[in-house]
């Protein structure tokens, strides 16, 4: 941008912003998910269905936060962000 005669590339800047935002949102989502799931530590052992229900509720909460935080970004970007969060949570 500061180079004489250079034409700023707004598309690249926007893509970097979106990637950074998605990375931040995924990181926050994973932190929130771990915090929710760590609440199970005091109540283990649990039935598999109870653990799955807690997982689904925790993921739904994190997924909702991603959607709220990425409102206004392209749908494809948000879907990619959610897909990656789901993969990370499933591991």
């Amino acid at each position: 941008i500061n180079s004489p005669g250079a034409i700023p590339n707004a598309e690249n800047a926007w893509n970097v912003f979106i990637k950074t935002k998605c990375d931040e949102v995924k990181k926050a989502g994973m932190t929130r998910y771990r915090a929710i799931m760590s609440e199970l530590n005091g109540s283990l052992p649990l039935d598999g269905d109870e653990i799955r229900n807690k997982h689904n509720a925790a993921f739904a909460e994190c997924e909702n936060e991603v959607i709220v935080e990425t409102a206004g970004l392209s749908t494809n970007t948000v879907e990619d962000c959610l897909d990656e969060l789901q993969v990370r949570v499933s591991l």
Side-chain angles (χ1 to χ4, degrees):
I1 291 177
N2 293 329
S3 300
I7 299 172
N9 188 330
E11 183 178 2
N12 285 346
W14 181 245
N15 289 339
V16 169
F17 167 78
I18 289 174
K19 175 150 180 30
T20 302
K21 180 68 173 177
C22 285
D23 288 346
E24 291 170 356
V25 169
K26 284 184 288 192
K27 184 177 178 182
M30 286 302 302
T31 300
R32 179 72 183 126
Y33 176 83
R34 286 187 193 109
I36 293 169
M37 293 303 288
S38 71
E39 295 169 3
L40 293 177
N41 288 342
S43 25
L44 294 175
L46 293 174
D47 179 81
D49 288 337
E50 292 175 294
I51 294 171
R52 174 58 64 188
N53 289 338
K54 185 69 168 182
H55 160 79
N56 289 341
F59 180 73
E61 185 175 322
C62 295
E63 183 179 44
N64 194 37
E65 287 179 21
V66 168
I67 291 169
V68 168
E69 290 294 319
T70 56
L73 301 181
S74 84
T75 304
N76 291 340
T77 302
V78 174
E79 288 175 3
D80 291 345
C81 188
L82 287 172
D83 288 345
E84 189 171 330
L85 178 64
Q86 186 171 19
V87 167
R88 289 180 184 211
V89 166
S90 298
L91 297 178

